[in-house]
Amino acid sequence: MKRELSVPGIAYGGDYNPEQWPEEVWAEDMRLMREAGVTMVSVGIFSWALLEPKEGAYDFSLLDRVLDLLHSHGIAADLATPTAAPPAWFFKAHPEALPVDKDGRGLSYGSRQTFCPSSPAYRQAALRMAGEIARRYAGHPAVAMWHVHNEYGCHNAECHCDESAAAFRRWLRRRYADDLGALNDAWGTRFWSQWYYDWDEILPPRPTGAVPNPTHQLDWRRFCSDELLSLYEAERAVLLKAAPDIPATTNFMAMYNFDALDYWRWAPKLDIVSNDHYLQSADPESQIDLALSGDLVRSLAGGPWLLMEHSTGAVNWQPVNRAKSPGELRRNALAHVARGADGIAYFQWRAARAGAEQWHSAMLPHAGTDSQIWRDVVRLGADLRALAEVRGSVGTAEVAIVWDWSSRWAMELPSQPSGELRFQDLVRAWYEPLWRAGVAVDFVRPDADLSAYRLVLAPSLYLVDDEGAANLTGFAERGGTLAVGFHSGAVDENCHVRLGGYPGAFREALGVRTDELFPLLPGESVGLSDGGTGTLWSERVRLTGAEPVTSYTSGPLRGVPAVTRNAHGTGVAWYLATLPDPQTLAALVDRIRAEAGVEPVRGTPEGVEAVLRRGPEADYLFLINHTDRPAHVAVAADATELLTGRPVPGAVSVAAGETAVVREPRRVAGWEDIS
């Protein structure tokens, strides 16, 4: 049973760390939270050392006062188990719980998440603390949700100590039904004399003299994700026992720089899926990564979700940490709402004076209320109140992109045909034209139900099992349109190459066969017959039923097909054997989705993002203007712009850098841009 958040409307707030400030500041915090429209804050995330000053001795007096204060001001608490940062006394008592990196170097305490996920001592202490929190606050009227741990795997996704090695072996015995021969077969250990005769011979993938076994490394990544998940589930069980009606979450990090956890496995375990997302300062169009992340998290959640952390301005952990441009704070937050977020929160409420994150922006910055950030925070609070009715509405998409963490991990292992391939980059390359066109996108597992979609894209699916491959090709056979990117279908779930020619599992459905790969060097490109260029990859494709769409015009494969189209069953399967330049890829993606009958959410001028959420009685059209000029978009004759409350019959104007949210009482199709 999924438990729902009781906070009404679009929840608004951030991480609140009152323990960092004198108690006389708290009253000002409450007053300013009310002014900003804050309705929920996360508390206690890094408070273990204060709550348990020594083992078994607890002091909840500060947290008692904070929760009482929040409740008296009508602000809900997302109460954390503070288990992401064990105190120094714990490590003095249990030095064996400290993590060991892959080079065998033991790490010290002195920051956060410096524990081994497989440590029995850590698990025991964490569950004890979670139990104390649960029993004390299960009935507190301020507590609306449990915040379990914080950003699992952010700094300790892997530990290579002996305890972790033992846990890895236990995981492997379960995976392979205690059959060591099955493991040897799956890992291909006849290669390089790696055959194992005893489970105790198996270690984590530590540094060796040559390239390590790819299946060994892949199973290790799977184990590390599952091991952290087991910690979440154990804490969640303790909380559930004490408070069966309070929902629980933990904050994912579905963004460009984190790939440690298989969130398809995690998401069903959460009552409410939540995510942290931060912009990349070096990315000139970071709003695209934001949109991709939002679509991915909505897909993981199967509906609305919560944004647990993002920034009002600069972060503190990138090489250069830029402030957000005028209007960007608001555009970012409302873009998350557009893509399904029913809550918007920041790290953090009040900018810290000391500590590792003292230069990280906050809702209340170092400059105080006489600042642009504060004025934007207050304005956003009013916006979210105006959007209360949007809560619970869902997205609608006819396009799905296949996303798989095992495939991502496997493709980025060493000794590939090209070390230049990056899963996230390839997916974004295909996603970007759809984003620019205003086409709604879901993300799916390879084995997902695809019946709701007209078009399924697999930009990078190097690893796929038989079930997933049959599901995707069957989608095309039953009338759908499938498009597959190069180096997909190449290996099975054990990283074993599918023999008989590439692209392996998809060869028959695509109507092509490749006998040799010709990856391109960094900076190298090949000409394409449609006038574009291809980068990263090329391969010698032979047609076995498909028709050529584009061919190489330069390089050793001149005249060989680079893009193909094949009738498969009652549907169509496309293959891209290179990465076309952005303009060429956009034209190709537009052609494929138009042929599949997929239309944009709404016609908009270039640079205006259009996203739709659908409620039981109305559609909510989000229009986010990323340009420096006003835009005009056609809407329903009886539409209302929710942020202003004004009727906008027939058309809405969106100022440069601004956002409009239009309520349409019924779905209107076929509108054209009237700018």
Side-chain angles (χ1 to χ4, degrees):
M1 180 185 72
K2 293 281 189 177
R3 296 152 187 85
E4 296 185 357
L5 183 65
S6 59
V7 178
I10 307 296
Y12 185 41
D15 286 11
Y16 183 40
N17 299 295
E19 67 273 13
Q20 298 177 11
W21 299 92
E23 194 160 346
E24 56 266 24
V25 174
W26 299 359
E28 181 186 36
D29 286 335
M30 296 301 106
R31 178 179 63 82
L32 292 177
M33 284 183 190
R34 295 293 296 270
E35 180 180 335
V38 167
T39 59
M40 183 174 72
V41 293
S42 297
V43 292
I45 292 175
F46 296 115
S47 60
W48 191 343
L50 299 179
L51 299 179
E52 190 179 10
K54 62 180 181 179
E55 186 169 359
Y58 300 97
D59 181 0
F60 291 107
S61 57
L62 184 150
L63 190 53
D64 288 346
R65 296 195 301 277
V66 169
L67 290 175
D68 290 346
L69 189 63
L70 289 169
H71 179 62
S72 68
H73 286 81
I75 300 169
D78 170 33
L79 181 57
T81 59
T83 53
W89 63 254
F90 169 78
F91 291 114
K92 293 291 287 184
H94 299 284
E96 76 281 3
L98 287 164
V100 174
D101 70 13
K102 64 181 181 180
D103 295 317
R105 180 184 60 163
L107 304 183
S108 176
Y109 59 90
S111 61
R112 65 180 185 177
Q113 290 182 323
T114 50
F115 63 86
C116 165
S118 300
S119 164
Y122 168 78
R123 181 180 290 251
Q124 181 180 21
L127 294 183
R128 187 178 66 240
M129 170 53 76
E132 293 293 332
I133 293 278
R135 285 185 289 274
R136 188 174 188 88
Y137 297 113
H140 197 288
V143 178
M145 183 165 64
W146 299 118
H147 186 304
V148 183
H149 198 79
N150 185 72
E151 295 183 336
Y152 276 100
C154 184
H155 304 287
N156 64 338
E158 301 181 39
C159 174
H160 294 255
C161 73
D162 290 341
E163 190 65 59
S164 295
F168 181 41
R169 289 190 285 269
R170 291 192 294 272
W171 182 90
L172 290 169
R173 295 183 81 141
R174 291 192 298 272
R175 178 173 177 82
Y176 294 102
D178 211 24
D179 184 346
L180 192 54
L183 177 141
N184 279 300
D185 288 341
W187 285 18
T189 56
R190 296 177 187 275
F191 185 82
W192 278 0
S193 189
Q194 295 173 50
W195 189 274
Y196 295 103
Y197 290 94
D198 191 288
W199 291 101
D200 287 340
E201 296 170 358
I202 300 172
L203 298 172
R206 296 167 177 166
T208 64
V211 177
N213 184 315
T215 318
H216 182 181
Q217 294 175 87
L218 177 60
D219 271 352
W220 171 254
R221 297 294 299 271
R222 290 164 169 160
F223 156 75
C224 290
S225 177
D226 282 357
E227 190 76 344
L228 286 165
L229 177 57
S230 75
L231 290 177
Y232 167 81
E233 291 184 287
E235 286 197 36
R236 177 66 185 103
V238 170
L239 298 168
L240 181 63
K241 182 178 180 181
D245 296 327
I246 298 178
T249 190
T250 190
N251 38 345
F252 291 174
M253 292 178 288
M255 56 181 181
Y256 59 90
N257 63 343
F258 185 79
D259 72 344
L261 306 181
D262 182 349
Y263 287 138
W264 289 122
R265 291 178 61 81
W266 282 65
K269 311 294 185 181
L270 277 62
D271 291 308
I272 300 170
V273 169
S274 65
N275 191 52
D276 295 352
H277 183 271
Y278 292 97
L279 303 183
Q280 185 177 17
S281 291
D283 184 352
E285 293 188 295
S286 55
Q287 67 269 21
I288 301 175
D289 179 73
L290 184 157
L292 190 158
S293 172
D295 284 338
L296 176 58
V297 179
R298 184 194 66 251
S299 302
L300 290 165
W305 52 282
L306 298 181
L307 179 66
M308 194 60 70
E309 287 185 27
H310 69 315
S311 68
T312 57
V315 298
N316 70 303
W317 42 267
Q318 297 180 20
V320 176
N321 298 292
R322 71 167 185 87
K324 291 189 175 182
S325 60
E328 193 173 6
L329 179 155
R330 186 170 183 253
R331 291 195 303 275
N332 290 167
L334 294 180
H336 283 295
V337 176
R339 295 180 186 276
D342 275 358
I344 295 294
Y346 290 96
F347 180 81
Q348 56 180 326
W349 162 250
R350 185 183 282 269
R353 291 185 299 185
E357 294 178 303
Q358 67 191 102
W359 290 109
H360 196 293
S361 60
M363 299 175 77
L364 185 61
H366 293 138
T369 57
D370 185 14
S371 63
Q372 188 59 53
I373 280 182
W374 175 252
R375 289 186 284 274
D376 288 345
V377 162
V378 173
R379 183 188 183 195
L380 179 60
D383 289 337
L384 297 178
R385 286 194 298 274
L387 298 179
E389 68 178 87
V390 174
R391 174 177 171 158
S393 57
V394 298
T396 57
E398 296 179 319
V399 178
I401 295 179
V402 181
W403 182 290
D404 185 72
W405 271 274
S406 282
S407 182
R408 178 178 186 170
W409 296 334
M411 188 189 72
E412 295 180 6
L413 290 172
S415 293
Q416 284 287 325
S418 172
E420 298 297 307
L421 305 187
R422 298 289 179 271
F423 176 89
Q424 179 94 8
D425 293 345
L426 292 169
V427 171
R428 174 163 164 170
W430 287 44
Y431 175 88
E432 185 172 329
L434 299 168
W435 178 86
R436 293 191 187 282
V439 174
V441 173
D442 286 342
F443 287 88
V444 295
R445 301 166 54 121
D447 59 353
D449 179 2
L450 304 176
S451 59
Y453 304 105
R454 293 176 180 266
L455 172 61
V456 173
L457 308 177
S460 182
L461 194 60
Y462 168 68
L463 176 151
V464 64
D465 62 16
D466 291 345
E467 180 185 2
N471 187 49
L472 293 169
T473 57
F475 168 76
E477 189 172 358
R478 293 185 297 272
T481 298
L482 174 69
V484 177
F486 60 81
H487 209 32
S488 292
V491 300
D492 65 14
E493 67 273 19
N494 293 319
C495 274
H496 293 193
V497 174
R498 294 180 178 274
L499 303 179
Y502 319 116
F506 302 116
R507 199 169 57 232
E508 181 179 349
L510 295 173
V512 298
R513 182 179 181 275
T514 293
D515 71 332
E516 194 162 5
L517 308 175
F518 290 76
L520 302 176
L521 297 172
E524 187 180 8
S525 64
V526 290
L528 299 175
S529 58
D530 56 11
T533 58
T535 61
L536 280 180
W537 194 267
S538 63
E539 57 187 65
R540 188 161 53 214
V541 172
R542 178 167 60 85
L543 303 178
T544 59
E547 59 182 289
V549 175
T550 303
S551 300
Y552 303 111
T553 60
S554 65
L557 302 179
R558 184 190 304 268
V560 171
V563 178
T564 63
R565 180 186 182 279
N566 187 50
H568 183 64
T570 58
V572 176
W574 293 73
Y575 185 52
L576 278 65
T578 189
L579 179 64
D581 64 85
Q583 184 176 358
T584 302
L585 180 59
L588 182 59
V589 170
D590 282 349
R591 174 182 171 181
I592 293 171
R593 61 100 177 158
E595 182 183 288
V598 175
E599 296 296 330
V601 166
R602 192 66 49 88
T604 63
E606 184 178 355
V608 178
E609 185 175 356
V611 190
L612 189 72
R613 290 184 66 165
R614 173 163 293 163
E617 298 179 355
D619 290 342
Y620 302 99
L621 178 65
F622 287 73
L623 299 167
I624 305 168
N625 189 348
H626 296 285
T627 76
D628 57 2
R629 58 193 180 278
H632 306 280
V633 179
V635 296
D638 52 354
T640 301
E641 202 289 305
L642 292 180
L643 299 178
T644 61
R646 293 198 301 265
V648 285
V652 64
S653 180
V654 189
E658 293 290 344
T659 300
V661 183
V662 179
R663 183 186 192 274
E664 295 177 324
R666 58 186 177 278
R667 179 70 173 98
V668 178
W671 289 100
E672 299 296 334
D673 172 28
I674 61 170
S675 61

